[in-house]
Structures are given as C-alpha cells and as structure tokens.
C-alpha cells in the first residue's frame, strides 16, 4: 500500500513540474544558449513495409517533448509522417513498381545550441521477388560464439545454404531469423564463410541474398572497405571498423584538404567537400590497430557520370565464389547474365557484385556474359564483361608441376607468362618471402591469381597488393618489368632504400602506396624517391 502511495505521489509531482515549466522544452532558445543535453532513442532501428503499404509506429524516447520530423528526401511523396504523444506514425503508399525503395526520416530534439539528430530508415519491398538480410556481415572473435540476424522477403518460402565455411560454421533457421554459430579458432589469419539465402517457390529459386561470415585469428587484423567511393556532392560516409584489437587509430596525410576524416566510436567518418570539377580526386589514409596497418583509398568522383569497366572472370571447372567491385557515381545499378548463362548466379550487395559458379565437369567448358546497367534518372551507362569456366582437363597453374598445362595451350591464354611468374618469384626472394605474414600459394603450382596479393587479368599480372605483410629488404626496379601492372601497394612493411626511378615512371605508381613503412617499434617512416 505504501508503495502505491509513493508511486502516485511521483506521478503527480512529475505532472506538476511539467505544468510549472520545469520540462526541458520550457527552455527559451532565444534566452538560453544551451538547454539540457538531449537524448533520443527509437523503439525500432528501422521500419520495413511490404509492397501493399500501410501504417506503422515507432516510439520516440527523449528527455525533450517536442520533435522536429522531416523526410531526408523532401520530394518523396509515397511516405508521410506525423507525431502524436511521443509516437511517430509512418504511412506508406502501395509500391506498384518492381523495385524496392527506401527513405530516411530525420528526427531532431533539443533546445538552443544543444540539439541531437537521428535518422530512421524506412524500407518498402517492390512487386518483384525480394529478400534482404538485416545484417549481411557477421564478425566473430577467435573464441567463437553465436549471432542472430533477421530476414525480410515477400516470398512464401526460403532456405539458406553454406557455400563456404561449412567445416567450422553452423546455421540454424528459426521463423524469420538466421542464427550463425562458429567454433573456437586457433589459426593465425581470419577465415571466411559465405551463406546464400534462396527465396522463392519449390520449383524455382527466384531471388537470393548473401551473408558474409568472418572469424578473426590470433594475429592483429582490421577489416574495412579498402576502396571507398565518395560522391561528387560531398555526402558524408560512415564505415564500421571491425578488429580483434582493443583500439585503433587513423593516420591522415597533411596534404589532404578536401575531406575531413575522424573516428566516432567504432566508425570511420568521412566528410568530403563537394567536387564541382570533372576530374576525380584520390588520396590514401591508413588505419592502425596494434601492429597491423591497413591503407584505404578515398576516391571522390567528379561531376561527370561514370561506370568503371570490371575485369573478366575466369575460373577452373571446380567453380567458386568471385566478387567484382562496382565503381560508379550513378544512383543505381543492376547486373544481369546473358540467356543460357543461368548457371552463373549474380548477387548484388551495395558496391559489390558476387558471382557464384558451381562445379562443371565437362570437356568443353562454358562461357557467358554479364551486363551492368547504371542509371541516374534518364541517363544510363552499360558495361559488359565475360565469365569463362575452363574445361575439366585444364588446370591453371605455373611451373613444372604435375597436371599443369602451359599457358599457350589454355583457351584465352588464361595463365600468366612464365617470364612474369619468374619475376614474381625473384621479387619473393628479394623481399624475404619466407618471413612474410601471409604468402599463400606463392612458388606453388596453384593459379598465379590465387597467390596472396596477386591479381591476374587476361594472362598478365595487373595487381600486386601486399601492404603490412612483413616484407623486408631493399626495393629494386624489378617491379617495373611488369608492363601490365595497374595496382601496386607495398606500404606498411619494413622495406628500406629509395624508390627506384623506373618504378616512379610506372602508370600505377602512387607514392602513398609505397613510401609509408613501419619499423620494428611500430613507428612510421617514409621511403624517399630516387
């Protein structure tokens, strides 16, 4: 009884204080520079609607009474909002298009100079088959554990299949949720698993979504998008940073004057200025977690509209899961496979296109073509690239290894030339490859494109990316002999000497991708140019 009396007294006291003007919104923004520090929480992180539309509510929890609510895109007519009694009511019209759509709702609270703004995202499914995973990326520490994510689809049936990592990862489905459990891991490097969600009828899977699963090893590691695209408009980007280290920091070159870079919690925040010129802007920043260093490329588009050409895909008969980064400053893009190429499944995920190619034991191999279409209003750009799966009897590799076929006998000259392979091995010994942090498949008969850090396109080495990999030794001009090299990254190692003039004259040369090195104490130093 005494408890009920005190509870009633507290309610009436709070009501009286509000009437007396003690509620935070009673502060006068004209006379009070700073009101109480505002707080704001949503009862739901986002709202999801089916194509038929409808009404849904979100409770707004704040120490302020008044809320300023507006759509981020003011021209959006299919979504409307109103606030009553601390609840945000969201009304969404029927979506008659085949595509899903989304909009952000900006909610602001505060008084005077003390304000807080948060964004609530509204998703609506289109009429076409649709499936979306709430969190498409899962990260596990070395000790393992379990995480759960939700799934949204407009299909009556769906199932999930592990296509990589089935030896150490287990998946359980309960209602519309997917639980992923990973066992303890004693390895050094992180390991990767991939799950595909198929949604549709029993006779035909009509849509797919990808779930990436990463488990850290014992060695210091940091995972983040490495090639970061920034719009010409100068829109802010926030990137989550995943690491197995207790802390991390960001290093920014002093010459960077067009983008503000900062750390907020576990996010890297980028605030570029608008780029009103036609030329793109590029620079590189570094993230340091323990002894681990990762270089990130910031790429801001100019005002001209572009869609970069992806490289062709070539796989052995065993198949695999292949990714291609999609670089464009247009608002939307889609990928499709040519008729007859349905054996190559396509998964679109933000700025990445994933190709899932099954095993194919056949003497003739098979080919298809993928078309990319990027749009911005009425403006459209198309690009195409080839996908080739080799015949069963061919094995891509290099050197005098059993089962290896010389490159000039493989259709399309898929393997790199023996000269370039020998140059890679020479570079391996110059940089003391036996002591590298990671040298997977180097000096073996595996396909050169499977050597750690090496990219092969049309029979030539086009990329060599070995940042923070424990390379030691004096840099020579050997890399200048790779005439098709387009990407070269060696920063964050322990390389000494000067950068040879022959390397400086290469098309792919960028000083910031080579010069920054780290000594045994973790201190950064820079190589000078000859």
């Amino acid at each position: 009884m005494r408890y009920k009396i005190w509870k009633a007294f507290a309610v009436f006291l709070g009501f009286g204080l509000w009437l007396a003007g003690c509620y935070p919104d009673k502060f006068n923004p004209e006379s009070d520079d700073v009101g109480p520090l505002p707080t704001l929480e949503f009862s739901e992180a986002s709202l999801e609607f089916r194509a038929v539309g409808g009404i849904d509510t979100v409770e707004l929890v704040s120490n302020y009474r008044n809320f300023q609510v507006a759509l981020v895109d003011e021209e959006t007519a299919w979504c409307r909002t109103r606030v009553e009694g601390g609840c945000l009511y969201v009304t969404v019209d029927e979506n008659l298009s085949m595509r899903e759509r989304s909009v952000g709702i900006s909610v602001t609270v505060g008084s005077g100079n003390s304000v807080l703004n948060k964004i609530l995202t509204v998703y609506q499914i289109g009429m076409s088959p649709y499936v979306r995973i709430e969190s498409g990326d899962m990260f596990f520490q070395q000790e393992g554990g379990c995480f759960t994510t939700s799934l949204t689809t407009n299909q009556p049936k769906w199932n999930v299949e592990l296509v990589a990592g089935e030896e150490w990862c287990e998946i359980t489905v309960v209602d519309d949720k997917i639980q992923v459990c990973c066992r303890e891991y004693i390895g050094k490097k992180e390991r990767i698993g991939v799950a595909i969600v198929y949604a549709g009828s029993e006779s035909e899977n009509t849509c797919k979504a990808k779930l990436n699963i990463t488990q850290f090893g014992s060695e210091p590691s940091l995972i983040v998008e490495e090639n970061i695209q920034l719009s010409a408009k100068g829109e802010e980007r926030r990137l989550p940073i995943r690491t197995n280290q207790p802390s991390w920091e960001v290093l920014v070159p002093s010459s960077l004057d067009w983008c503000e870079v900062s750390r907020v919690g576990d996010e890297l925040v980028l605030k570029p200025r608008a780029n009103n010129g036609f030329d793109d802007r590029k620079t590189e920043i570094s993230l340091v977690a323990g002894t681990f260093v990762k270089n990130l490329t910031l790429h801001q588009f100019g005002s001209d509209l572009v869609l970069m050409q992806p490289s062709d895909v070539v796989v052995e008969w065993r198949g695999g899961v292949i990714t291609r980064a999609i670089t464009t400053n247009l608002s939307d893009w889609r990928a499709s496979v040519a008729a007859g190429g349905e054996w190559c499944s396509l998964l679109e995920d933000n700025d990445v296109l994933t190709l899932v190619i099954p095993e194919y034991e056949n003497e003739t191999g098979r080919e298809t073509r993928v078309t990319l279409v990027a749009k911005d209003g009425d403006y459209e750009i198309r690009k195409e690239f080839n996908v080739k799966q080799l015949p069963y009897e061919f094995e891509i590799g290099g050197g005098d290894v059993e089962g290896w076929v010389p490159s000039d006998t493989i259709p399309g000259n898929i393997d790199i030339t023996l000269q370039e392979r020998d140059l890679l091995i020479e570079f391996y010994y110059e940089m003391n490859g036996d002591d590298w942090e990671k040298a997977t498949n180097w000096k073996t008969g595996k396909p050169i494109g499977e050597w750690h850090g090496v990219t092969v396109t049309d029979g030539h080495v086009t990329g060599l990316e070995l940042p923070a990999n424990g390379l030691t030794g004096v840099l020579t001009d050997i890399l200048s002999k790779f005439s098709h090299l387009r990407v070269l990254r060696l920063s964050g190692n322990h390389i000494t000497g000067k950068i040879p003039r022959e390397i400086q004259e290469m098309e792919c040369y960028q000083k910031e991708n080579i010069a920054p090195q780290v000594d045994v104490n973790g201190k950064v130093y820079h190589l000078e140019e000859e």
Side-chain angles (χ1 to χ4, degrees):
M1 183 65 182
R2 183 177 300 176
Y3 169 75
K4 293 182 178 179
I5 294 175
W6 276 108
K7 184 176 180 181
F9 174 75
V11 171
F12 282 110
L13 177 62
F15 183 69
L17 291 173
W18 180 80
L19 291 176
C22 296
Y23 203 86
D25 272 3
K26 294 294 182 179
F27 278 79
N28 185 353
E30 301 297 330
S31 60
D32 296 300
D33 292 336
V34 180
L37 186 65
T39 62
L40 177 61
E41 298 294 337
F42 301 144
S43 60
E44 301 288 342
S46 62
L47 294 180
E48 297 182 354
F49 290 85
R50 295 192 176 274
V52 294
I55 301 176
D56 205 347
T57 60
V58 174
E59 183 180 357
L60 306 178
V61 182
S62 174
N63 58 343
Y64 278 75
R65 176 170 50 88
N66 293 329
F67 303 92
Q68 299 179 25
V69 178
L71 295 178
V72 174
D73 185 355
E74 297 179 355
E75 297 182 358
T76 301
W78 55 268
C79 180
R80 296 174 298 281
T81 64
R82 61 184 174 89
V83 177
E84 290 184 7
C87 285
L88 173 64
Y89 291 81
V90 180
T91 303
V92 171
D93 294 337
E94 184 178 7
N95 186 4
L96 299 177
S97 69
M98 299 296 289
R99 298 285 306 283
E100 67 274 7
R101 56 188 180 183
S102 64
V103 67
I105 299 176
S106 172
V107 181
T108 304
V109 296
S111 178
N113 296 329
S114 181
V115 296
L116 176 63
N117 174 265
K118 287 191 175 183
I119 302 295
L120 175 73
T121 303
V122 177
Y123 300 95
Q124 186 180 23
I125 297 171
M127 302 297 291
S128 62
Y130 175 88
V131 61
R132 189 175 75 86
I133 302 174
E134 179 183 20
S135 177
D137 296 282
M138 286 189 174
F139 295 87
F140 293 82
Q141 296 298 328
Q142 197 174 9
E143 60 270 19
C146 296
F147 287 123
T148 301
T149 185
S150 299
L151 177 140
T152 303
T153 181
N154 58 359
Q155 298 298 293
K157 295 183 179 181
W158 60 274
N159 67 288
V160 60
E161 177 184 351
L162 267 174
V163 297
E166 56 271 15
E167 306 87 0
W168 50 273
C169 188
E170 295 181 357
I171 288 185
T172 305
V173 174
V174 179
D175 296 329
D176 61 346
K177 298 185 182 298
I178 301 174
Q179 184 183 67
V180 180
C181 296
C182 293
R183 293 192 289 271
E184 185 179 3
Y185 180 43
I186 61 174
K188 294 183 178 181
K189 302 295 182 180
E190 63 264 12
R191 54 185 179 181
I192 307 297
V194 177
I196 306 296
V197 176
Y198 301 91
S201 62
E202 294 182 357
S203 59
E204 181 181 3
N205 289 313
T206 56
C207 52
K208 310 177 185 69
K210 185 175 71 166
L211 174 62
N212 300 307
I213 305 163
T214 302
Q215 186 173 19
F216 290 106
S218 59
E219 294 185 351
S221 181
L222 183 147
I223 298 176
V224 65
E225 181 181 344
E226 296 185 27
N227 297 298
I228 303 167
Q229 301 176 28
L230 304 172
S231 71
K233 297 178 181 179
E235 297 168 324
E236 176 182 300
R237 284 204 61 184
R238 290 175 173 257
L239 304 174
I241 305 299
R242 312 292 187 179
T243 181
N244 57 356
Q245 298 300 292
S247 63
W248 58 274
E249 61 178 326
V250 56
L251 304 179
V252 181
S254 58
S255 59
L256 178 58
D257 59 359
W258 54 267
C259 183
E260 178 185 336
V261 182
S262 61
R263 173 185 174 177
V264 178
D266 291 328
E267 290 184 323
L268 178 67
V269 180
L270 306 172
K271 297 180 179 179
R273 293 205 315 266
N275 186 3
N276 297 319
F278 285 100
D279 295 332
D280 293 2
R281 298 194 285 208
K282 286 187 178 182
T283 192
E284 188 172 272
I285 62 175
S286 299
L287 298 182
V288 181
T291 59
F292 184 85
V293 179
K294 173 165 285 190
N295 296 324
L296 311 182
T297 298
L298 307 185
H299 179 188
Q300 186 182 28
F301 293 104
S303 57
D304 196 18
L305 299 177
V306 297
L307 171 63
M308 303 298 288
Q309 175 70 50
S311 58
D312 290 343
V313 173
V314 180
V315 297
E316 292 182 342
W317 63 271
R318 298 180 181 88
V321 179
I322 313 296
T323 60
R324 286 291 181 268
I326 306 302
T327 303
T328 182
N329 58 353
L330 279 77
S331 60
D332 188 30
W333 64 270
R334 281 294 180 265
S336 60
V337 67
E342 291 78 10
W343 49 269
C344 176
S345 298
L346 305 179
L347 301 172
E348 302 167 5
D349 184 16
N350 294 325
D351 297 327
V352 176
L353 176 64
T354 301
L355 298 87
V356 181
I357 302 174
E359 182 178 302
Y360 185 62
E361 296 187 26
N362 190 280
E363 296 180 356
T364 59
R366 54 186 175 181
E367 297 184 40
T368 190
R369 198 164 185 80
V370 174
T371 300
L372 294 175
V373 179
K375 293 184 177 182
D376 197 335
D378 296 332
Y379 191 83
E380 179 179 298
I381 302 178
R382 288 176 175 265
K383 297 287 184 180
E384 294 183 338
F385 64 93
N386 298 314
V387 179
K388 177 182 291 186
Q389 190 167 20
L390 296 179
Y392 176 69
E393 67 267 24
F394 287 111
E395 298 285 341
I396 307 176
D400 188 15
V401 180
E402 181 179 358
W404 176 72
V405 180
S407 60
D408 58 359
T409 67
I410 297 180
N413 190 26
I414 301 307
D415 195 24
I416 71 170
T417 64
L418 291 178
Q419 178 186 8
E420 290 183 353
R421 180 181 185 276
D422 292 340
L423 288 173
L424 283 175
I425 294 177
E426 185 177 347
F427 173 78
Y428 176 92
Y429 285 116
E430 282 188 355
M431 294 289 106
N432 298 295
D434 291 339
D435 297 325
W436 289 359
E437 297 290 331
K438 190 173 184 179
T440 306
N441 295 332
W442 277 74
K443 300 190 304 175
T444 70
K446 290 283 188 179
I448 307 301
E450 294 184 10
W451 291 19
H452 174 68
V454 180
T455 301
V456 174
T457 306
D458 294 333
H460 294 283
V461 174
T462 56
L464 185 60
E465 300 179 80
L466 297 168
N469 199 45
L471 279 67
T472 58
V474 178
L475 190 62
T476 69
D477 65 350
I478 185 173
L479 296 178
S480 65
K481 299 176 183 178
F482 290 93
S483 58
H484 294 78
L485 202 59
R486 296 293 177 265
V487 179
L488 177 61
R489 292 181 178 174
L490 301 175
S491 57
N493 289 290
H494 315 302
I495 300 173
T496 56
K498 294 185 177 181
I499 303 175
R501 187 172 302 277
E502 293 84 354
I503 292 180
Q504 299 175 42
E505 295 172 351
M506 298 176 68
E507 181 181 346
C508 64
Y509 173 70
Q510 290 183 319
K511 184 177 179 181
E512 62 267 28
N513 286 342
I514 299 179
Q517 301 292 318
V518 182
D519 63 20
V520 294
N521 296 318
K523 184 178 180 181
V524 177
Y525 63 93
H526 291 77
L527 300 180
E528 296 181 357
E529 296 178 333
E530 283 189 350

